[in-house]
Amino acid sequence: MARGVYIHIPFCHQICNYCDFNKVFFKNQPVDEYIEAVGKEMQMVVHNMPDQFDNIETIFLGGGTPTALSAEQIKRLLDLIHKYIPTNRRIEFSSEANPDELTIDKLKALYNGGVNRLSMGVQSFDEELLKKLGRTHSNEHVYETIEHAKSVGFQNISIDLMYGLPGQTMEQWEDTLNKALRLKLPHYSAYSLIVEPKTIFYIRYAKGKLNLPSEELEAEMYDLLMRKMEENGLKQYEISNFALDGYQSTHNKIYWDNDEYAGFGAGAHGYLKGERYSNYGPIKRYIDSVMNSGRPLLQTHKVSIEEMYEEQMFLGLRKNEGVSVKEFERKFGVHLKDLYGETIQQLEKDALLINDGHHVKLTRKGRFIGNEVFQQFLIED
């Protein structure tokens, strides 16, 4: 049963140099037709699987950039969501946003349409680094937009930050953290740069023209991040996420709990009834499929029980609380130690995991090499 709904808005006014998500330039795109197609896809899926949508906890608008839409387009999208997605109680309703696109009219359209959480892509408070990233906002945009959002009624505001950027120094990263924390927001996310294929950064990297920090410096940046957040009363609840009590992201927790969610829109991914799926990415192909053929499925994959075990570990270990031994047994009917007992013991000896009998979780040392730890839980054929 789905706990959450993800809706992909693939339009951007500017393409960032590091982004590999499904996106297109906004200009000359069939935006209104796309919104109607998303509404029809929601209608079809909910009609065919009504039992999957009885306990929706979150809705998340991602992209691309949802705030690339006009205020009227945002209102139409939210009307369609409320028409087709059953929400009989107050839920977490999030939207990603760019600081230089959130006008008062758009903020009011979001808030009046039920959105109660904003996740803004700030990335850095160093404006030279912002230019390298391909971002178009300034620090003033961030400050003004947060004030405007609060004046409209938003209290749950998060910003995304990035470290390990080309040419970034420790001094620049510390300055960004200090400026971000002075905003006194209830939630922060901070991610190390991953150079993904099909991005401008990847092309530069392949040519040897991307000056990335060393692994040692990146680890120091992560250590500083954790210390700064703790000093400011923000609890780390996942490898890259920090929040005041009561402001943890419910939507992202669905992913880390390895629970099911519906994905709508071009290039969206979902996980329903034990099956992972992805939609067509090209806008026209997506719209034509929805309007003329039915669900716009590019591919589906029935998840095997071995993959479920692996994903429960990979994703659950990202959380500070780790993987619940009791929940693992409830979900799969097998005890964690019967599958991974030797692996867990070895990782404990290496001081990378803690097993208190109730949860298996990363140590502080383990957080620095999380991906290496996760790989130990692959089940060999």
Side-chain angles (χ1 to χ4, degrees), residues 46 133 144-145 163 200 232 265 300 302 329:
V46 175
L133 293 171
E144 290 174 4
T145 299
Y163 60 96
I200 293 173
N232 284 269
T300 61
K302 191 71 176 177
E329 186 171 7

Side-chain angles (χ1 to χ4, degrees), residues 115-134:
V115 175
N116 50 37
R117 182 176 184 273
L118 291 178
S119 177
M120 290 203 304
V122 172
Q123 317 312 356
S124 176
F125 283 92
D126 185 289
E127 299 202 355
E128 286 303 312
L129 283 175
L130 288 175
K131 291 176 184 176
K132 288 184 181 180
L133 293 171

Side-chain angles (χ1 to χ4, degrees), residues 312-313 316-317 319-330 334-337 344 348 353-362:
Q312 193 77 11
M313 299 306 296
L317 284 172
K319 299 179 294 182
N320 269 34
E321 68 181 28
V323 176
S324 165
V325 174
K326 185 177 180 180
E327 177 63 14
F328 192 97
E329 186 171 7
R330 182 201 67 78
V334 61
H335 200 282
L336 192 57
K337 69 179 180 181
I344 291 170
E348 281 188 283
L353 280 187
I354 296 171
N355 179 13
D356 62 10
H358 301 288
H359 290 84
V360 176
K361 53 190 174 183
L362 292 174

Side-chain angles (χ1 to χ4, degrees), residues 69-100:
L69 305 180
S70 69
E72 284 304 311
Q73 288 166 336
I74 289 171
K75 184 178 183 303
R76 176 58 181 164
L77 174 64
L78 296 175
D79 286 345
L80 289 168
I81 292 169
H82 289 296
K83 183 176 181 179
Y84 297 120
I85 303 299
T87 53
N88 299 321
R89 54 196 170 83
R90 184 170 175 83
I91 63 171
E92 179 188 272
F93 196 154
S94 304
S95 178
E96 292 182 343
N98 275 349
D100 53 340

Side-chain angles (χ1 to χ4, degrees), residues 259-361:
D259 285 336
E260 297 192 345
Y261 61 97
F264 299 106
H269 293 247
Y271 183 26
L272 290 174
K273 301 176 77 169
E275 187 173 83
R276 294 196 182 275
Y277 65 89
S278 60
N279 285 345
Y280 291 121
I283 308 301
K284 186 176 186 304
R285 180 74 182 274
Y286 169 80
I287 294 173
D288 289 346
S289 182
V290 171
M291 294 304 187
N292 301 314
S293 307
R295 286 189 69 186
L297 294 176
L298 171 64
Q299 59 185 11
T300 61
H301 172 68
K302 191 71 176 177
V303 181
S304 70
I305 189 64
E306 290 81 10
E307 289 171 317
M308 290 183 186
Y309 297 154
E310 293 168 352
E311 290 172 354
Q312 193 77 11
M313 299 306 296
F314 295 170
L315 298 167
L317 284 172
R318 292 188 62 89
K319 299 179 294 182
N320 269 34
E321 68 181 28
V323 176
S324 165
V325 174
K326 185 177 180 180
E327 177 63 14
F328 192 97
E329 186 171 7
R330 182 201 67 78
K331 201 168 187 178
F332 303 118
V334 61
H335 200 282
L336 192 57
K337 69 179 180 181
D338 294 333
L339 280 174
Y340 293 119
E342 291 183 9
T343 299
I344 291 170
Q345 284 184 346
Q346 184 58 53
L347 290 168
E348 281 188 283
K349 288 179 182 177
D350 295 337
L352 298 173
L353 280 187
I354 296 171
N355 179 13
D356 62 10
H358 301 288
H359 290 84
V360 176
K361 53 190 174 183

Side-chain angles (χ1 to χ4, degrees), residues 131-157:
K131 291 176 184 176
K132 288 184 181 180
L133 293 171
R135 305 291 291 176
T136 57
H137 71 266
S138 66
N139 291 349
E140 285 305 312
H141 283 129
V142 176
Y143 303 140
E144 290 174 4
T145 299
I146 289 173
E147 288 306 309
H148 289 160
K150 290 179 178 178
S151 72
V152 167
F154 285 101
Q155 296 179 347
N156 194 350
I157 301 172

Side-chain angles (χ1 to χ4, degrees), residues 10-219:
F11 307 110
C12 293
H13 290 296
Q14 172 68 25
I15 304 297
C16 298
N17 294 339
Y18 55 87
C19 179
D20 71 329
F21 293 115
N22 188 50
K23 75 280 184 187
V24 294
F25 280 111
F26 186 92
K27 190 175 181 180
N28 298 323
Q29 293 294 334
V31 180
D32 295 322
E33 293 89 337
Y34 178 81
I35 292 170
E36 299 305 317
V38 169
K40 186 170 181 181
E41 186 192 4
M42 289 190 289
Q43 180 185 25
M44 283 189 294
V45 174
V46 175
H47 176 76
N48 291 331
M49 292 187 258
D51 59 317
Q52 295 296 303
F53 294 86
D54 289 340
N55 293 293
I56 295 298
E57 298 175 33
T58 81
I59 298 173
F60 193 99
L61 305 180
T65 319
T67 51
L69 305 180
S70 69
E72 284 304 311
Q73 288 166 336
I74 289 171
K75 184 178 183 303
R76 176 58 181 164
L77 174 64
L78 296 175
D79 286 345
L80 289 168
I81 292 169
H82 289 296
K83 183 176 181 179
Y84 297 120
I85 303 299
T87 53
N88 299 321
R89 54 196 170 83
R90 184 170 175 83
I91 63 171
E92 179 188 272
F93 196 154
S94 304
S95 178
E96 292 182 343
N98 275 349
D100 53 340
E101 293 176 349
L102 270 178
T103 63
I104 289 288
D105 285 347
K106 291 183 183 183
L107 283 163
K108 288 180 178 177
L110 289 165
Y111 189 76
N112 294 336
V115 175
N116 50 37
R117 182 176 184 273
L118 291 178
S119 177
M120 290 203 304
V122 172
Q123 317 312 356
S124 176
F125 283 92
D126 185 289
E127 299 202 355
E128 286 303 312
L129 283 175
L130 288 175
K131 291 176 184 176
K132 288 184 181 180
L133 293 171
R135 305 291 291 176
T136 57
H137 71 266
S138 66
N139 291 349
E140 285 305 312
H141 283 129
V142 176
Y143 303 140
E144 290 174 4
T145 299
I146 289 173
E147 288 306 309
H148 289 160
K150 290 179 178 178
S151 72
V152 167
F154 285 101
Q155 296 179 347
N156 194 350
I157 301 172
S158 175
I159 61 174
D160 288 355
L161 303 172
M162 295 180 72
Y163 60 96
L165 303 176
Q168 187 180 33
T169 65
M170 180 62 83
E171 290 72 24
Q172 287 172 314
W173 176 230
E174 184 167 13
D175 182 64
T176 278
L177 286 174
N178 289 338
K179 287 176 178 173
L181 289 165
R182 280 200 289 269
L183 295 171
K184 302 292 183 183
L185 299 177
H187 190 284
Y188 295 85
S189 299
Y191 304 97
S192 64
L193 173 69
I194 298 175
V195 180
E196 300 283 5
K198 300 180 182 179
T199 64
I200 293 173
F201 273 1
Y202 186 81
I203 295 169
R204 293 178 185 169
Y205 178 78
K207 294 179 178 179
K209 295 183 178 180
L210 199 65
N211 178 28
L212 296 175
S214 66
E215 289 184 4
E216 292 78 11
L217 179 54
E218 188 173 317

